[in-house]
Amino acid sequence: MFGKKNGKVESLLYSGDRVKILAMVREMGSMASEAFRLAVQSLEERDDALADKVIEEDDAIDDLEATIDHECLCSIAMRQPVREDLRFVFAVLKIITDLERIGDQGVNIAKKAKILNQYPLLKPLVDIPKMKVIATEMVADSLKAFEENDTLLAEAICMRDEELDTLYDCIFDELIGILGKKPEGDQATAQCAAGLLWVARHLARIGDHATNVAERVYFMVKGERLKPLIEAKKKALQAKIEENGFPH
């Protein structure tokens, strides 16, 4: 009888831990998203001060990651969580690594923006802002899936990753076209093209990290890997497209 009662007490205590950890992960996700959003904005508005703000505030994201890590380890040591709760804790430990790396990608974009802001833009920023919007939505949805244990949303996030890859390919092709029309040895144009391509690459990586979070949510809830399911769905979709005679 005492054992059952003690188990209920531990469960209630762990529920409190879970609420606290969820709130901190939510805050960290918001900070990481804000970092890359402001970093792209610093490029759009040619605002070095905004880029500096992103770079300076990165330590706060790292500090929060360490705090959440400590909270999770203390929870394991003190509460002896059951299997489902252990999945939650281990998912958090991996998710915050992805969120920290999203923050790092924001810093990388901010650093590239400071270089690019020294030169006239090679082309209007069209696809990079689109990538920012998609990446922002993917990160927000991955955190929503985590909070709500929503495996269907996790699947949808993974299916969106190709949108970012497609935009990256478009930017790459367009920049190569611009370089091809410039005189050989034009270092300024080459540097600007490389910088824009790196910004696009960092945004694509943010999408990869959001996908990682979604995959961890799926495993946390179902105890199964999501990647094989997504690959099967993409193959089925491609086969249907080819069957109907649509282009790739």
Side-chain angles (χ1 to χ4, degrees):
M1 186 72 178
F2 176 78
K4 286 184 179 179
K5 191 174 182 180
N6 190 54
K8 287 181 180 179
V9 170
E10 287 295 335
S11 179
L12 286 171
L13 288 171
Y14 190 77
S15 294
D17 291 348
R18 191 178 182 119
V19 169
K20 184 178 180 181
I21 291 169
L22 275 170
M24 289 192 291
V25 171
R26 188 186 308 118
E27 182 183 358
M28 187 177 177
S30 176
M31 291 167 68
S33 291
E34 183 77 347
F36 75 79
R37 187 189 67 77
L38 291 179
V40 175
Q41 185 179 332
S42 74
L43 176 61
E44 292 174 296
E45 298 178 1
R46 324 292 279 166
D47 188 342
D48 283 357
L50 205 52
D52 286 333
K53 182 176 186 291
V54 172
I55 295 166
E56 290 165 5
E57 292 182 356
D58 184 55
D59 285 346
I61 297 175
D62 296 341
D63 290 344
L64 186 52
E65 179 191 21
T67 300
I68 297 170
D69 188 277
H70 178 74
E71 192 71 29
C72 286
L73 295 178
C74 285
S75 184
I76 291 173
M78 296 176 65
R79 310 294 187 210
Q80 297 180 337
V82 297
R83 184 179 61 183
E84 289 76 13
D85 293 330
L86 277 174
R87 275 189 193 159
F88 169 79
V89 172
F90 291 143
V92 169
L93 291 171
K94 291 181 177 181
I95 285 169
I96 60 175
T97 297
D98 280 300
L99 294 179
E100 189 273 334
R101 288 174 182 166
I102 288 171
D104 286 346
Q105 297 297 341
V107 170
N108 291 336
I109 293 170
K111 288 178 178 177
K112 295 296 186 301
K114 290 189 70 176
I115 296 170
L116 288 164
N117 288 348
Q118 298 174 35
Y119 304 94
L121 278 174
L122 287 181
K123 60 183 238 30
L125 294 176
V126 177
D127 290 332
I128 283 176
K130 287 179 184 176
M131 291 185 76
K132 177 188 72 173
V133 171
I134 294 169
T136 301
E137 289 173 353
M138 287 179 69
V139 173
D141 283 346
S142 69
L143 291 169
K144 183 180 179 183
F146 172 60
E147 288 197 50
E148 299 179 3
N149 293 337
D150 190 336
T151 56
L152 290 177
L153 183 55
E155 289 180 38
I157 293 160
C158 293
M159 293 296 288
R160 287 200 74 183
D161 193 41
E162 288 186 3
E163 293 180 41
L164 288 175
D165 294 337
T166 299
L167 285 170
Y168 174 82
D169 290 341
C170 288
I171 292 169
F172 180 86
D173 291 342
E174 190 174 3
L175 290 173
I176 291 297
I178 290 172
L179 284 173
K181 295 175 184 176
K182 296 291 182 179
E184 189 175 343
D186 186 343
Q187 293 298 318
T189 298
Q191 186 170 10
C192 288
L196 287 172
L197 195 58
W198 271 113
V199 169
R201 183 59 188 154
H202 293 317
L203 287 167
R205 288 294 296 135
I206 289 168
D208 293 340
H209 289 303
T211 298
N212 288 346
V213 172
E215 289 177 353
R216 302 190 199 294
V217 169
Y218 193 89
F219 185 82
M220 176 186 76
V221 177
K222 292 201 168 186
E224 301 171 1
R225 292 180 64 232
L226 176 57
K227 198 168 188 177
L229 175 63
I230 295 300
E231 289 174 353
K233 283 192 172 185
K234 286 181 178 179
K235 283 181 182 177
L237 181 61
Q238 187 59 43
K240 190 172 182 180
I241 290 171
E242 291 174 358
E243 181 183 338
N244 290 313
F246 294 117
H248 290 265

